[in-house]
Amino acid sequence: KAGVTQTPRYLIKTRGQQVTLSCSPISGHRSVSWYQQTPGQGLQFLFEYFSETQRNKGNFPGRFSGRQFSNSRSEMNVSTLELGDSALYLCASSLPSQETQYFGPGTRLLVL
Amino acid sequence: DAKTTQPPSMDCAEGRAANLPCNHSTISGNEYVYWYRQIHSQGPQYIIHGLKNNETNEMASLIITEDRKSSTLILPHATLRDTAVYYCIVSSMEYGNKLVFGAGTILRVKS
């Protein structure tokens, strides 16, 4: 079974731009969660989507948003990028009734 | 979410067992103990989880104390490829699918 895939793997943007990251979960997994990892703050939960609805949200500003499609694929968007948004963005998927999450390789975003 | 406490770093000789401790004294009855690891610049990898009983899989064993206030992850024969940051997390579906990561333990396996 294929794992969680994330695209793109690397991205360079400039301040003020916006970015969209994509995540394809493991087949059959309907829950998708997003995390941000920075050297200073570590791994932090952004939000979780299940059946195209945001089910849980972390403590991030409204510039961070996401959505989930009917095939469970998910995207996250960051608008008006700031230097501090430079991070590894990780997506994880799980079965609806299980908490065990399986992570993708991440998208490394650099904001200049 | 219950909080966990882990040592910041540990060393282990290759081929020996690595025992990684975790304290979770405020764990509630419906919270599981999860272990993940992250090898440099990769996504975290699920290792094992448990509620009350000890658990074993092909990667590791998880020993949970009777009062559930602490646990130990055991890698029976550590290899250089086990060098990683190991995260102990307590979580329940009550909060949705949300993992709260701490700083973890950096395990260095040395030859």
Side-chain angles (χ1 to χ4, degrees):
Chain A
K1 198 183 261 191
V4 177
T5 58
Q6 292 187 245
T7 57
R9 294 292 311 279
Y10 303 92
L11 203 51
I12 300 175
K13 292 285 188 178
T14 56
R15 277 181 300 174
Q17 287 187 310
Q18 73 157 9
V19 67
T20 299
L21 312 181
S22 181
C23 171
S24 292
I26 293 171
S27 177
H29 286 195
R30 291 167 54 197
S31 169
V32 174
S33 300
W34 288 89
Y35 295 81
Q36 180 198 64
Q37 185 172 29
T38 61
Q41 299 298 318
L43 265 160
Q44 292 186 289
F45 173 78
L46 279 157
F47 30 64
E48 180 212 358
Y49 285 86
F50 174 71
S51 291
E52 303 178 63
T53 301
Q54 188 179 88
R55 185 162 71 169
N56 212 339
K57 189 176 187 306
N59 189 26
F60 278 81
R63 299 185 298 107
F64 292 82
S65 63
R67 59 177 175 168
Q68 186 179 34
F69 302 94
S70 58
N71 62 358
S72 295
R73 190 177 69 84
S74 177
E75 290 181 346
M76 69 162 281
N77 184 276
V78 188
S79 62
T80 319
L81 284 166
E82 301 176 359
L83 295 179
D85 297 333
S86 294
L88 179 66
Y89 289 88
L90 293 155
C91 163
S93 74
S94 63
L95 291 168
S97 59
Q98 291 185 9
E99 294 178 57
T100 303
Q101 296 186 33
Y102 297 89
F103 284 79
T107 293
R108 189 164 295 280
L109 171 66
L110 177 62
V111 182
L112 302 176
Chain B
D1 298 332
K3 297 293 187 287
T4 62
T5 303
Q6 299 178 252
S9 65
M10 294 180 63
D11 290 339
C12 177
E14 189 178 20
R16 304 296 294 269
N19 296 283
L20 292 92
C22 179
N23 287 322
H24 30 80
S25 58
T26 59
I27 191 170
S28 58
N30 63 347
E31 288 183 312
Y32 285 77
V33 179
Y34 281 83
W35 283 85
Y36 285 79
R37 73 180 183 184
Q38 187 174 26
I39 297 170
H40 183 63
S41 295
Q42 298 181 20
Q45 178 189 23
Y46 165 77
I47 301 173
I48 198 168
H49 74 284
L51 184 64
K52 295 181 187 177
N53 300 321
N54 298 337
E55 302 288 344
T56 296
N57 63 21
E58 65 279 2
M59 287 184 67
S61 295
L62 173 60
I63 308 297
I64 302 174
T65 58
E66 195 169 338
D67 63 8
R68 304 212 320 128
K69 292 185 177 182
S70 65
S71 60
T72 301
L73 177 74
I74 301 172
L75 306 179
H77 305 286
T79 70
L80 298 178
R81 288 179 296 180
D82 291 322
T83 294
V85 180
Y86 287 77
Y87 297 99
C88 169
I89 301 165
V90 293
S91 182
S92 79
M93 284 297 289
E94 180 181 354
Y95 310 114
N97 253 339
K98 167 187 173 183
L99 297 175
V100 179
F101 286 82
T105 296
I106 300 172
L107 175 68
R108 287 180 281 257
V109 180
K110 300 183 176 181
S111 57

